[in-house]
Amino acid sequence: MRSQILLALLPALGTEAIRIIHANDDGWAELYTRSFHDALVAAGHDTVLTAPAENKSGTASSDAEPSPRTTACQYDSCPANTNQPIGRNESSPRLNWVNSFPVTSMRYGIDTIAPPFWNGQAPELAVSGPNVGSNVYVQVHFSGTVGAAVFAAKERKVPAIAFSGLSSGTLAWNTTPAPTRSLVYAQVASKLVDAVVSSGKPYLPEDVFLNINLPKVEGKCTDPHNFKFVLSRINVGLFSAKDVYHCGTDRLPLEASVALSDDCLVSVSVGDANDKTTAPKEKQDIVLDKLRRLFTCLP
Ligand SMILES: *[C@@H]1O[C@H](CO)[C@@H](O)[C@H](O)[C@H]1NC(C)=O
Ligand SMILES: *[C@@H]1O[C@H](CO)[C@@H](O)[C@H](O)[C@H]1NC(C)=O
């Protein structure tokens, strides 16, 4: 009886808190990333941020050993002449910079920087972004945001999600007050993370990443409650094998058309970490089963 009552209470306590490694490509001091970090912490997760010391947008899957940094980090977020390859915010040590690429930041985060915070354990989930600007279709191949997530999924077998927001304009971490778009992206991204976590382990099929594009924050899409999620695909599927049967068809909509609609629709593509294209139907199937309650059909 008592255990039944406890079980009934569990949903009210929210999602299980997990270990999350967080990278990006716009730089460790970019506000979208910091707002998302704050939202993950507020949701109870144990999150460590490891991201480039400066903007490394468009560097795809480049990876190189970090070199000693002599100039200040972006937005003066670290002093000049640290002469260190990696560094952190001493008063918030879960915030770390790596003087190299997005993939390198993810690699150092998983292998070196985060484990001491977690008694040597590995992350349970990897997230990247939200990128400042979209990452759809061809952009996916050049994106460092995607590159970092793909590294985690493929090379470290950590389930990974890449987030991008269509509202652009870069902002320093200490912009006050934080503009709505940064806070809305953080909340919507955090909601998706919680849906994935609630779906239970394994969070995603092996060698898969989720590619998420959040629509522009404007008009009715300034209220996070108005955002809905649509299962999509990354690349044009003209000659591709069938997608999972969903919303009355076996061809999923393109992520670009979902995120560019004016209905506050978030595109959720199941990506293949081997080649950054749409994952095969078998893997889409698993993700759809896990997140079915989250998804809506195109209007
Ligand atoms: C980073 O660089 C890219 C491409 O060079 C640019 O489009 C973007 O606005 C920059 N972002 C930041 C955070 O400076
Ligand atoms: C470092 O952390 C402190 C305390 O949380 C914060 O006030 C400061 O803005 C942070 N600076 C950077 C660059 O992260």
Side-chain angles (χ1 to χ4, degrees):
M1 183 63 191
R2 176 163 297 170
S3 65
Q4 268 175 356
I5 292 170
L6 281 178
L7 276 180
L9 281 174
L10 268 181
L13 298 175
T15 316
E16 185 198 352
I18 64 162
R19 298 181 301 276
I20 300 179
I21 189 73
H22 183 188
N24 79 357
D25 74 0
D26 293 308
W28 81 306
E30 188 58 41
L31 185 60
Y32 281 5
T33 294
R34 293 299 184 94
S35 296
F36 186 29
H37 174 82
D38 293 345
L40 292 172
V41 170
H45 299 299
D46 192 349
T47 304
V48 177
L49 175 71
T50 58
E54 63 190 333
N55 181 14
K56 289 285 185 187
S57 192
T59 55
S61 291
S62 301
D63 187 3
E65 283 311 294
S67 55
R69 186 163 184 96
T70 50
T71 52
C73 297
Q74 69 174 155
Y75 307 129
D76 265 331
S77 57
C78 82
N81 296 314
T82 55
N83 293 310
Q84 299 297 322
I86 60 179
R88 65 182 187 182
N89 181 329
E90 288 303 333
S91 46
S92 295
R94 281 175 166 74
L95 304 174
N96 298 267
W97 54 262
V98 175
N99 193 32
S100 188
F101 295 107
V103 165
T104 317
S105 304
M106 184 62 92
R107 178 162 64 83
Y108 263 72
I110 295 174
D111 295 352
T112 309
I113 298 171
F117 290 101
W118 299 330
N119 296 318
Q121 296 178 93
E124 296 168 279
L125 183 71
V127 298
S128 181
N131 184 66
V132 180
S134 65
N135 275 310
V136 297
Y137 193 21
V138 185
Q139 290 173 324
V140 166
H141 291 272
F142 303 101
S143 163
T145 306
V146 172
V150 162
F151 174 85
K154 185 168 158 54
E155 306 301 332
R156 294 296 182 271
K157 306 302 176 197
V158 178
I161 312 176
F163 292 94
S164 303
L166 269 61
S167 286
S168 54
T170 57
L171 297 158
W173 89 98
N174 54 0
T175 307
T176 320
T180 307
R181 57 192 161 96
S182 196
L183 302 175
V184 169
Y185 283 156
Q187 284 181 49
V188 178
S190 180
K191 183 177 173 184
L192 185 100
V193 165
D194 282 347
V196 169
V197 172
S198 299
S199 78
K201 286 183 177 174
Y203 294 136
L204 293 173
E206 199 168 291
D207 290 334
V208 148
F209 70 101
L210 295 185
N211 192 47
I212 313 297
N213 278 275
L214 302 149
K216 279 198 171 154
V217 174
E218 55 191 19
K220 66 180 177 199
C221 309
T222 48
D223 179 351
H225 297 106
N226 291 339
F227 283 66
K228 297 197 180 94
F229 299 85
V230 173
L231 188 61
S232 57
R233 51 177 291 125
I234 297 172
N235 51 304
V236 174
L238 216 49
F239 302 107
S240 309
K242 288 178 179 176
D243 290 319
V244 62
Y245 187 80
H246 180 52
C247 298
T249 161
D250 51 26
R251 182 57 76 217
L252 295 172
L254 275 181
E255 55 191 4
S257 61
V258 171
L260 286 170
S261 82
D262 26 83
D263 295 299
C264 316
L265 301 178
V266 179
S267 66
V268 180
S269 298
V270 185
D272 187 335
N274 294 303
D275 61 6
K276 302 180 185 174
T277 65
T278 310
K281 174 186 176 303
E282 299 71 45
K283 298 202 168 171
Q284 297 170 1
D285 256 324
I286 298 170
V287 174
L288 175 58
D289 266 356
K290 289 171 74 72
L291 301 180
R292 192 174 293 276
R293 280 191 309 174
L294 185 74
F295 290 128
T296 175
C297 297
L298 281 179

